[in-house]
């Protein structure tokens, strides 16, 4: 699997040259807001929230509000529970979407750098890479929005001998037909000049991508 390596700054100000944190270049607000209350929370309560978050990701449906609010008390308000729960979900979702090169130890190290206490960081890493990971991945794949892809492509060159305005044109055009994976058929016609313009732009984009990958700040392994 490829992984983009960039120069980033750790919480202490030192350079991180080996990899990108699991959350990217900007810390999500839900994770920022979670740190202080989750560190002060009773660990048994945190683990109950973690179990609910894992179950929600496995089932791809929201947790029942009553079940969630039953965990609140005089010491921990419902608002605090929502804040921590949102942060847990964001951590797990980002870890699942991260490149395959991300491992449990790296996720834990990133969380510790965000001032999450090691015990909580360890539990989050175990949840993201533990025995339920396969079920989470399956649920994520099943609910992923997918656009139709091309199943077959046919084309031919037509030559217009005449039009309603001109008796003789002899202008070539390309007629293409795409059959999509959802069964729909798309047909379009473009002049040869526009086809060459498309070909040029695709080549230009590919060349720019290759040039970008050669830069020291962005390396693809």
């Amino acid at each position: 699997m490829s992984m983009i390596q960039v120069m980033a700054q750790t919480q202490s100000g030192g350079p991180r040259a080996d990899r990108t944190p699991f959350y990217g270049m900007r810390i999500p607000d839900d994770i920022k807001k979670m740190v202080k209350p989750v560190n002060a929370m009773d660990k048994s309560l945190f683990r109950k929230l973690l179990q609910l978050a894992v179950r929600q990701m496995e089932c791809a449906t929201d947790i029942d509000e009553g079940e969630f609010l039953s965990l609140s008390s005089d010491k921990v308000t419902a608002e605090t529970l929502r804040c921590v729960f949102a942060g847990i979900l964001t951590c797990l979702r980002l870890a699942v979407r991260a490149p395959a090169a991300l491992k449990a130890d790296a996720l834990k190290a990133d969380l510790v750098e965000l001032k999450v206490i090691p015990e909580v960081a360890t539990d989050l890493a175990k949840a993201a890479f533990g025995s339920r990971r396969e079920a989470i991945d399956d649920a994520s794949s099943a609910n992923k929005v997918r656009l139709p892809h091309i199943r077959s492509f046919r084309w031919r060159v037509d030559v217009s001998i005449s039009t309603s305005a001109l008796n003789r044109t002899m202008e070539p055009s390309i007629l293409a037909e795409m059959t999509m994976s959802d069964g729909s058929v798309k047909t379009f016609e473009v002049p040869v000049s526009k086809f060459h313009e498309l070909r040029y732009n695709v080549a230009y984009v590919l060349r720019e991508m290759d040039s970008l990958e050669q830069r020291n700040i962005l390396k693809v392994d």
Side-chain angles (χ1 to χ4, degrees):
M1 296 291 292
S2 64
M3 177 178 179
I4 297 179
Q5 298 176 311
V6 299
M7 295 294 293
Q9 293 293 318
T10 64
Q11 291 293 98
S12 60
R16 174 196 292 276
D18 56 339
R19 62 181 179 82
T20 304
F22 80 97
Y23 50 81
M25 299 304 297
R26 177 178 294 180
I27 305 171
D29 289 339
D30 285 341
I31 296 180
K32 285 183 182 179
K33 296 175 182 177
M34 172 195 75
V35 175
K36 185 175 180 179
V38 79
N39 287 342
M41 181 175 287
D42 179 77
K43 296 307 169 287
S44 62
L45 178 57
F46 161 72
R47 291 184 176 114
K48 289 179 182 178
L49 288 176
L50 182 58
Q51 290 173 357
L52 289 178
V54 171
R55 197 172 79 199
Q56 176 166 318
M57 293 190 68
E58 287 179 345
C59 301
T61 55
D62 293 338
I63 296 298
D64 180 71
E65 183 73 7
E67 183 178 8
F68 180 73
L69 293 178
S70 67
L71 298 176
S72 63
S73 65
D74 295 336
K75 295 181 179 180
V76 183
T77 65
E79 187 63 30
T80 300
L81 290 175
R82 290 191 181 95
C83 176
V84 174
F85 186 74
I88 292 173
L89 269 179
T90 300
C91 286
L92 294 179
R93 285 169 176 164
L94 290 175
V96 168
R97 296 172 186 169
L102 180 70
K103 303 300 180 186
D105 290 343
L107 175 59
K108 179 181 175 181
D110 289 342
L111 290 169
V112 170
E113 284 183 1
L114 296 177
K115 308 304 182 185
V116 175
I117 60 176
E119 186 178 359
V120 170
T122 299
D123 286 346
L124 284 168
K126 287 180 178 178
F129 294 94
S131 59
R132 307 307 304 167
R133 176 58 183 265
E134 185 176 353
I136 292 174
D137 286 340
D138 290 343
S140 178
S141 298
N143 290 276
K144 187 179 297 183
V145 177
R146 293 183 176 86
L147 295 175
H149 59 270
I150 299 175
R151 180 169 294 170
S152 66
F153 184 86
R154 298 192 305 167
W155 64 275
R156 73 169 186 259
V157 176
D158 284 345
V159 178
S160 298
I161 299 176
S162 63
T163 66
S164 58
L166 297 174
N167 292 330
R168 186 178 181 83
T169 60
M170 301 299 290
E171 181 181 351
S173 63
I174 297 174
L175 181 66
E177 179 185 273
M178 298 185 300
T179 302
M180 313 303 291
S181 57
D182 60 358
S184 61
V185 177
K186 310 292 184 182
T187 304
F188 61 92
E189 183 178 7
V190 293
V192 172
S193 59
K194 286 295 183 181
F195 174 77
H196 286 312
E197 183 179 334
L198 172 64
R199 187 166 59 87
Y200 167 81
N201 287 329
V202 170
Y204 175 79
V205 170
L206 291 174
R207 186 171 66 252
E208 288 296 305
M209 290 173 61
D210 183 65
S211 175
L212 184 63
E213 290 177 358
Q214 301 306 316
R215 297 184 182 180
N216 291 332
I217 195 172
L218 291 175
K219 296 180 180 179
V220 178
D221 294 338

